[in-house]
Amino acid sequence: MGSHTWGASAGTGKPLGFTGVPVSVADTLTVPVEYEAQVLYRWGDPIGSAQGSPAFELDGSNTWQEQSLQAGMHHDGMEFFPLDQDPRHGLLAINHEYTDDGLLHADGMKTWNADKVRKSQAAHGVSVVEVVERAGVWQVMPHSMYARRITASTPMRLSGPAAGHDMLKTAADPSGTRPLGTLNNCAAGQTPWGTYLTCEENWNGYFSSRQHPGADELRYGLGPNGWGYRWHEHDERFDAAKHPNEPNRFGWVVEIDPMDPTQTPVKRTALGRFKHEGATTTLSKDGRAVVYMGDDERFEYIYKFVSRDRMVPGGYPANRQVLDHGTLYVARFDAQGHGRWLPLVHGQNGLTAERGFASQAEVLIRCRQAADVAGATKMDRPEWIAVHPQTGEVFVTLTNNSQRGQPGRGVDDANPRGDNIMGHIIRWREGTTQHGDAGAGEFRWMHFALAGDPKADKAGSRGTILGDMYGCPDGLKVDAGGLLWIQTDVSTSALNQGAYTSLGNNMMLCADPSTGETKRFLTGPSGCEITGITFTPDRRAVFINIQHPGETASERSDPDRPQAVSRWPDGPTGGRPRSATVAIRRKDGGIVGT
């Protein structure tokens, strides 16, 4: 397939209206000269709750109770919800993906106890904060009725076809419907009825399994000591050897109504259980909800859920069951740009009791295994998915896959590069016509760009980008005007080394889908990932997240040298680098990107 043009693409293309910024390795946030950036909401900032507003302690000595009323760590996916139809006043729902326990606690992990586990759990999850712009300056409202933290301990509800299944029951919850908490919340989405979808990605890393995990546990990456979070030492529910069903209660899309701080978050089982990167929602032509999702791991899949029922007016109260009934599909990318959505429905595509699926609930709980049986295409780490508001075209970032091309893991049309360290972006149209329907069963696809450095020594790492180079595309959004925004996540262990030497720090770029023109919009501080893009409805402000500035290659900092990699955003007197939400606007108040 071609890499950068698509016949009859909507629009003729317009010059991207800002001065591109150069590649940078500086420990700072750089935006175009026509723009200004403001740090709005940092890890440890108070959420503005009536329950209290504890200040951030520079040495990491805040208690877990204080952390539960402060911004969590490692800001990720994020959405803006306007209040009273005012584009200058709204709610930000913000994911907090994971923790660097070397920074979170005064002495890091040198000592370990139950309170540190509680603080780490309190630094996960979601923030809902009320924000307002006054005279061009955004601020978090200090006394908000909406302010809320959702953590790894918040009571939740399971709904949909798998709720109450035996595989979801535990000693603490014999009903199999009342899980606690959400964690490793990566990308996100906003529904047309005004709710926030937060997505559980690498949840497996928090569990300690038995010494020799079973096949289903291995398929989801569970191991004897997890990824070193050590929660299981003081919170028994993360000991999967003792509570083997507890991991099954994670890996879901969680629906939150930001307008109702009393709402119990709902884990929607109809959308399948895997390592959810995001959940991007649009509507089919007949008004049904369509949710696109990627499973962010090497050789995993792209999914689509199509609801049974149509969306109706009335917000969340009128649509609270829309995501409980429908059909989950997984994508198969065929040759010559053809593709098909394979239903993950019990009794179809080999999903029978004889193959290990006794019910639709088991298809959803063991979603990866179901996609294996159905014959989906194994992708190069599917991450964010974005839908063009005018054309309905869908874009997905495939961040990288260094194992592609190894024996038994060959390249294919959709994933054409072996040792794919740079990643790529695929676009597709639903149906077989130019103006397709999101509810269609087939699609036509092509590559938007293969990422890379045009001067790379290795031909396979040079890419096909028209404009400014980048690697490891991750965050993705098409704004209301049709501009495609791309955020990068070269891992800290690889940043500015080897094939990535010329790419500099992670960045955000803007591209015109109709021409492929791509221009660098910002670069981030040292050790960070750029993520979490959302716009005000009038597009006069864009919010982005700087995640884990100062992250070390091991992803856990030395508490004795917290500023070894970065001092952003507070400078040398700030104590610790802090993930933060940043508001960016044009100095003349105009529309971002134009």
Side-chain angles (χ1 to χ4, degrees):
M1 297 296 293
S3 61
H4 56 261
T5 60
W6 191 315
S9 185
T12 56
K14 300 177 182 178
L16 301 176
F18 58 89
T19 303
V21 302
V23 167
S24 171
V25 295
D27 185 29
T28 188
L29 173 65
T30 303
V31 298
V33 294
E34 304 90 352
Y35 287 75
E36 56 188 12
Q38 174 207 342
V39 176
L40 176 65
Y41 182 63
R42 301 159 296 183
W43 159 50
D45 283 351
I47 61 173
S49 168
Q51 297 168 277
S53 298
F56 177 71
E57 300 292 346
L58 299 183
D59 63 354
S61 61
N62 286 105
T63 67
W64 70 266
Q65 294 96 332
E66 291 170 333
Q67 176 63 79
S68 69
L69 296 173
Q70 297 172 324
M73 260 192 156
H74 289 8
H75 302 37
D76 206 320
M78 167 174 62
E79 293 287 344
F80 180 83
F81 299 83
L83 288 169
D84 302 319
Q85 299 182 323
D86 182 354
R88 297 287 184 277
H89 182 203
L91 305 179
L92 280 173
I94 303 167
N95 286 348
H96 302 291
E97 187 180 10
Y98 62 106
T99 52
D100 178 344
D101 287 286
L103 296 177
L104 182 63
H105 316 287
D107 66 350
M109 302 184 81
K110 293 179 180 179
T111 60
W112 198 242
N113 56 47
D115 279 355
K116 286 188 173 182
V117 171
R118 293 187 185 102
K119 186 177 181 184
S120 182
Q121 291 175 344
H124 282 71
V126 175
S127 287
V128 178
V129 292
E130 184 177 353
V131 296
V132 65
E133 183 204 305
R134 291 175 176 158
V137 178
W138 286 90
Q139 66 184 66
V140 175
M141 296 295 283
H143 303 290
S144 172
M145 61 180 286
Y146 302 102
R148 182 182 190 190
R149 276 301 320 283
I150 294 162
T151 73
S153 304
T154 300
M156 309 226 160
R157 180 169 67 87
L158 283 157
S159 71
H165 189 273
D166 285 349
M167 292 174 69
L168 298 179
K169 294 177 180 178
T170 64
D173 174 29
S175 75
T177 62
R178 298 288 176 182
L180 286 179
T182 186
L183 48 81
N184 212 265
N185 301 79
C186 199
Q190 183 171 162
T191 66
W193 51 91
T195 57
Y196 184 64
L197 301 180
T198 183
C199 302
E200 300 174 337
E201 190 195 11
N202 291 307
W203 49 269
N204 58 298
Y206 297 82
F207 287 90
S208 175
S209 74
R210 52 189 168 159
Q211 196 61 36
H212 300 289
D216 283 349
E217 292 173 310
L218 290 172
R219 186 67 183 84
Y220 282 95
L222 273 79
N225 290 301
W227 291 356
Y229 285 97
R230 299 177 64 184
W231 288 6
H232 66 283
E233 295 177 21
H234 296 283
D235 186 347
E236 192 177 279
R237 72 185 171 110
F238 290 95
D239 186 340
K242 295 180 179 178
H243 301 282
N245 283 348
E246 186 67 27
N248 297 337
R249 294 148 70 89
F250 291 90
W252 305 103
V253 171
V254 186
E255 186 171 17
I256 297 167
D257 182 1
M259 301 296 175
D260 179 6
T262 68
Q263 179 242 2
T264 300
V266 184
K267 299 196 177 193
R268 299 290 184 188
T269 66
L271 276 60
R273 173 176 164 265
F274 42 90
K275 295 184 182 180
H276 285 272
E277 175 71 25
T280 301
T281 308
T282 187
L283 295 176
S284 66
K285 286 188 173 179
D286 62 1
R288 291 175 295 155
V290 178
V291 186
Y292 294 103
M293 301 166 286
D295 184 350
D296 181 12
E297 197 164 10
R298 297 183 186 106
F299 304 106
E300 292 301 337
Y301 305 116
I302 294 171
Y303 297 85
K304 176 174 83 170
F305 171 83
V306 181
S307 70
R308 180 193 69 189
D309 303 326
R310 294 177 175 86
M311 187 191 90
V312 296
Y316 178 65
N319 294 279
R320 62 175 68 247
Q321 294 183 328
V322 168
L323 298 182
D324 281 342
H325 308 285
T327 304
L328 183 66
Y329 299 87
V330 66
R332 189 183 72 204
F333 288 78
D334 297 329
Q336 281 79 51
H338 294 274
R340 180 164 293 279
W341 292 106
L342 308 173
L344 297 181
V345 176
H346 184 248
Q348 300 181 28
N349 290 315
L351 304 178
T352 63
E354 293 75 21
R355 300 291 293 272
F357 302 95
S359 65
Q360 183 62 20
E362 293 191 16
V363 170
L364 297 169
I365 295 169
R366 302 174 64 242
C367 194
R368 282 184 166 181
Q369 296 91 321
D372 292 340
V373 170
T377 301
K378 297 179 182 296
M379 307 297 287
D380 288 350
R381 290 189 56 203
E383 298 239 24
W384 290 47
I385 298 176
V387 178
H388 195 297
Q390 283 85 40
T391 68
E393 284 181 309
V394 188
F395 296 78
V396 62
T397 48
L398 291 308
T399 287
N400 55 48
N401 186 352
S402 59
Q403 297 176 12
R404 178 70 68 176
Q406 294 180 5
R409 296 180 160 186
V411 300
D412 55 43
D413 276 27
N415 305 277
R417 295 191 288 185
D419 188 24
N420 180 19
I421 61 172
M422 290 293 185
H424 55 289
I425 299 174
I426 287 177
R427 69 197 297 181
W428 71 83
R429 285 182 177 160
E430 296 282 14
T432 56
T433 63
Q434 180 179 344
H435 302 289
D437 182 357
E442 53 188 308
F443 58 94
R444 295 296 307 273
W445 66 269
M446 65 178 294
H447 291 110
F448 177 73
L450 306 181
D453 176 357
K455 296 181 179 179
D457 293 337
K458 179 183 168 187
S461 294
R462 293 172 190 161
T464 61
I465 298 166
L466 292 181
D468 290 341
M469 64 183 178
Y470 59 89
C472 301
D474 188 344
L476 199 67
K477 177 82 76 174
V478 183
D479 69 26
L483 294 176
L484 179 67
W485 298 82
I486 303 163
Q487 300 173 316
T488 72
D489 180 22
V490 179
S491 69
T492 309
S493 59
L495 207 59
N496 296 308
Q497 301 175 49
Y500 305 104
T501 299
S502 299
L503 294 177
N505 292 347
N506 280 307
M507 64 187 71
M508 183 167 81
L509 309 98
C510 185
D512 183 341
S514 61
T515 65
E517 178 195 2
T518 302
K519 189 183 290 188
R520 191 176 301 105
F521 182 81
L522 64 79
T523 57
S526 301
C528 84
E529 168 188 345
I530 308 295
T531 185
I533 181 171
T534 188
F535 292 83
T536 54
D538 61 4
R539 294 164 55 209
R540 295 181 189 276
V542 59
F543 303 95
I544 60 106
N545 282 324
I546 302 296
Q547 189 187 76
H548 61 67
E551 183 171 79
T552 66
S554 70
E555 300 187 2
R556 285 195 175 95
S557 298
D558 179 354
D560 296 329
R561 301 177 63 241
Q563 298 183 345
V565 178
S566 175
R567 295 175 172 181
W568 192 89
D570 300 330
T573 62
R576 281 155 158 69
R578 299 160 73 182
S579 296
T581 299
V582 177
I584 303 171
R585 62 188 293 274
R586 268 175 46 169
K587 293 176 181 176
D588 65 3
I591 294 174
V592 172
T594 63

